[in-house]
Amino acid sequence: MQYKEIDFSKYSSIKIGPKIKVAIIEDESELFDDYFLVGGANNILVSPNPPPLMMLGKKFDYITINDDILEVGCALKTGRLLSFAKKNNIANFEFIAKLPGTIGGMVAMNAGVKSYEIFNIIKEIKIDGKWVDKNNIDYGYRYANLGGIATAVRFNIEYGYSDELKNELIKLRDNQPKEPSAGSAFKNPKGDYAGRLIEAVGLKGKRKGDMAFSQKHANFLVNLGVGNFDDAIYLLELAKRRVYEEFGVLLKEEIKIV
């Protein structure tokens, strides 16, 4: 097995984490249950002492079409899939515009925008080397209990790509901050918004060191310079405690803490 040294303070979207060797997986037989799978590192907060980490290699970075079935490897970047969909007039992928990372990462957390989620369009997922129908997987808002490591995904193809829809969905995210972050810090509670709750308890803009809840959108934990793991955790725990004390709502992290 090959290893690659990755500096997560540069590689991860929140710009926090150690420089550490990561196993590069080029065959499904190399997958390990006790390793944490890192994709594009766009929704993770890596601690100074993480568990063993692995990453899918180039073998899992592909796109194919067979009999109106689109198959993609989970190492594929979301931007490449969007470009392919536009070039081939394939519908239903417009929502992934400006959602960074890999397809595997999107699948693992059922990523999306509003009612547009990736599980809405999935046919089946290759998990630990076996194809599994998506209806046999427990999934919901921002989660998917895969029960293993996803390496590829298949979609039924529908034609009719829409730039208009893509632009509408991008506008929905105009309120997101530009500073380094890991996306939404918390999942929205049913019938409410995590950002509203964080703002309601006075934590919008709250800063600890170089970490802060964004002044632009309270549910984004942003790195204002050289933020570190401990300060990020402090703010996450503070928000959970304050919101629970004030509203009786237990916020659940959307960001993955490794």
Side-chain angles (χ1 to χ4, degrees):
M1 180 183 297
Q2 295 185 344
Y3 287 82
K4 180 179 180 181
E5 188 171 73
I6 292 180
D7 185 349
F8 283 93
S9 70
K10 296 177 180 177
Y11 180 73
S12 69
S13 62
I14 201 169
K15 305 305 179 190
I16 291 175
K19 185 181 291 185
I20 192 168
K21 287 185 177 180
V22 177
I24 305 300
I25 306 302
E26 293 293 355
D27 188 270
E28 281 151 351
S29 65
E30 297 177 333
L31 296 169
F32 296 105
D33 291 338
D34 55 346
Y35 277 57
F36 183 89
L37 182 65
V38 175
N42 286 280
N43 72 319
I44 66 173
L45 177 60
V46 182
S47 71
N49 296 292
L53 304 176
M54 62 183 174
M55 181 180 295
L56 296 179
K58 293 181 180 179
K59 175 185 174 180
F60 304 100
D61 182 358
Y62 67 89
I63 310 176
T64 61
I65 291 179
N66 290 298
D67 298 327
D68 282 338
I69 299 294
L70 176 68
E71 181 177 318
V72 303
C74 281
L76 185 78
K77 297 288 188 182
T78 54
R80 279 192 61 208
L81 179 55
L82 182 68
S83 297
F84 185 89
K86 181 174 182 178
K87 180 180 179 181
N88 293 276
N89 192 34
I90 297 174
N92 300 325
F93 292 96
E94 294 88 349
F95 75 96
I96 70 175
K98 304 295 184 182
L99 286 179
T102 62
I103 299 305
M106 289 195 71
V107 170
M109 64 177 295
N110 190 19
V113 180
K114 301 296 183 181
S115 62
Y116 294 86
E117 298 178 337
I118 195 161
F119 261 79
N120 292 350
I121 56 175
I122 286 175
K123 174 181 172 62
E124 53 188 352
I125 304 171
K126 198 173 190 183
I127 301 173
D128 293 345
K130 297 179 181 179
W131 287 103
V132 180
D133 188 286
K134 76 102 171 275
N135 294 314
N136 294 325
I137 297 170
D138 174 33
Y139 68 91
Y141 171 66
R142 298 299 175 269
Y143 79 88
N145 295 325
L146 301 177
I149 302 299
T151 55
V153 191
R154 286 174 177 163
F155 306 90
N156 288 313
I157 294 177
E158 294 182 20
Y159 292 96
Y161 177 89
S162 171
D163 256 330
E164 182 179 357
L165 175 59
K166 181 201 76 172
N167 293 332
E168 287 176 6
L169 294 173
I170 288 175
K171 285 181 181 178
L172 292 176
R173 301 198 295 279
D174 281 348
N175 65 336
Q176 295 184 0
K178 300 293 188 258
E179 297 91 349
S181 78
S184 298
F186 297 101
K187 300 176 183 180
N188 287 325
K190 190 172 182 179
D192 210 335
Y193 296 95
R196 186 197 75 80
L197 294 168
I198 294 168
E199 186 171 353
V201 297
L203 293 181
K204 186 175 185 179
K206 173 68 176 177
R207 183 167 179 170
K208 179 79 161 61
D210 272 350
M211 298 306 300
F213 286 113
S214 172
Q215 289 279 11
K216 192 168 186 180
H217 191 313
N219 194 30
F220 277 71
L221 186 65
V222 295
N223 189 339
L224 301 175
V226 288
N228 63 50
F229 179 82
D230 288 341
D231 289 342
I233 293 296
Y234 171 86
L235 289 172
L236 291 171
E237 292 300 323
L238 178 64
K240 288 167 70 175
R241 186 174 71 251
R242 290 270 189 91
V243 168
Y244 186 76
E245 290 172 350
E246 181 73 20
F247 298 103
V249 175
L250 182 60
L251 292 177
K252 296 181 179 179
E253 287 92 348
E254 185 166 318
I255 185 173
K256 304 290 185 185
I257 300 170
V258 184

